[in-house]
Amino acid sequence: MNMMFIPASSPDPVGQYVADLIAAQLGDNRTVLWLLSGGSAVAVAVAAARHLAGRGLSGLTVSLIDERYGPVGHEQSNWRQLQDAGFELLGAALHQVLSGAPQSDTAEAYDEFLHAEFNRTDFSIGLLGIGPDGHTSGILPHSPAVTALGLVTAYDGGEFQRITTTPRALSYLDEAVVYAVGKIKWPVLDRLETDLPFAEQPAQALKA
C-alpha cells in the first residue's frame, strides 16, 4: 500500500492530478476505466473533465463507483449530479448504471460490466469520497455491502436504495483518489491510518 495525504485548498488541483494521470495512461496507448462518485467528489470530476477537454479520449471509459437506485435521471442519482454540475467528456465512452430495470437486475448488469471492464482495460482509477461515518463508495458501516462477494451489490441503505461496488471491486483499482472536505472528515482520516475492521470503517477497503 502506498497511501498519501495531500492537502488541497480547492477541487482544481485534485482534478488536475486525475486528468494528468488519465492523460499519461492514454498517451501510452493504454485503455483506462475511470469510476466516479457523487457528493463532494463531483467537483473534482468536473475539474478533471475540464482539464481533459480537447484530448483524444477514445481509450477512456467512464462510469460510477456507486449509484442511488431509482428511475433513470432521478434527482438524487449520482449520474444526474454529475450532469447537472456540467460533467462532459467528448470522445470518451460514458456508461451510466441506471437503465430502468429492477434494482437486482441493474446491479447484476453493472457487475457484469465491471467484470468485463477490469479484464479489458489496462488501467483503472476510482474517484471516491469518505463520509463522516467512514463509508466510501456506497458501502455503509455494518451494511450487507461490507461482506458482499461480487463486484457489485444492491441493498436498502435507509435513506437510499443503493447499488454499489464492494470492497472486492475496490481492490481491483490500480489507483484510488479520495477527496474528503471539511473538519468533520478529520477524525475519519485519522482513523483511516489505523487498522480497523471493514464493517466499522468501510474506507479501510481503500488500502487494498
Side-chain angles (χ1 to χ4, degrees):
M1 178 189 66
N2 183 18
M3 185 168 63
M4 297 179 294
F5 290 91
I6 304 173
S9 59
S10 77
D12 192 68
V14 192
Q16 182 72 70
Y17 173 82
V18 172
D20 290 346
L21 179 63
I22 291 172
Q25 295 293 324
L26 294 175
D28 289 338
N29 293 318
R30 306 184 80 203
T31 53
V32 177
L33 173 65
W34 183 21
L35 300 180
L36 307 177
S37 297
S40 58
V42 168
V44 176
V46 172
R50 184 173 64 249
H51 290 298
L52 285 168
R55 298 177 182 266
L57 302 177
S58 60
L60 176 62
T61 299
V62 181
S63 194
L64 293 173
I65 282 283
D66 71 295
E67 182 58 292
R68 297 160 175 176
Y69 179 73
V72 175
H74 72 93
E75 290 186 357
Q76 300 301 320
S77 157
N78 287 335
W79 194 260
R80 171 73 179 272
Q81 286 185 30
L82 287 158
Q83 291 179 318
D84 288 349
F87 181 83
E88 186 178 30
L89 273 179
L90 297 178
L94 305 182
H95 180 92
Q96 64 172 307
V97 174
L98 300 178
S99 64
Q103 185 177 10
S104 59
D105 292 345
T106 302
E108 182 177 351
Y110 194 54
D111 188 286
E112 292 175 356
F113 167 82
L114 287 182
H115 268 289
E117 288 300 310
F118 281 134
N119 286 327
R120 182 188 69 83
T121 52
D122 300 310
F123 188 84
S124 58
I125 177 173
L127 175 61
L128 301 103
I130 298 180
D133 60 356
H135 86 267
T136 194
S137 184
I139 311 168
L140 299 179
H142 305 289
S143 72
V146 171
T147 55
L149 299 179
L151 298 181
V152 173
T153 192
Y155 71 100
D156 183 353
E159 185 179 5
F160 301 109
Q161 296 291 324
R162 293 185 176 270
I163 295 176
T164 180
T165 51
T166 63
R168 179 186 173 197
L170 298 184
S171 73
Y172 282 97
L173 296 172
D174 293 298
E175 182 154 346
V177 176
V178 183
Y179 186 63
V181 180
K183 290 184 179 181
I184 195 172
K185 305 291 180 69
W186 292 359
V188 177
L189 296 177
D190 286 341
R191 299 183 79 205
L192 187 60
E193 292 189 284
T194 65
D195 291 327
L196 298 172
F198 285 163
E200 184 176 339
Q201 190 190 49
Q204 293 282 325
L206 297 169
K207 296 178 179 180

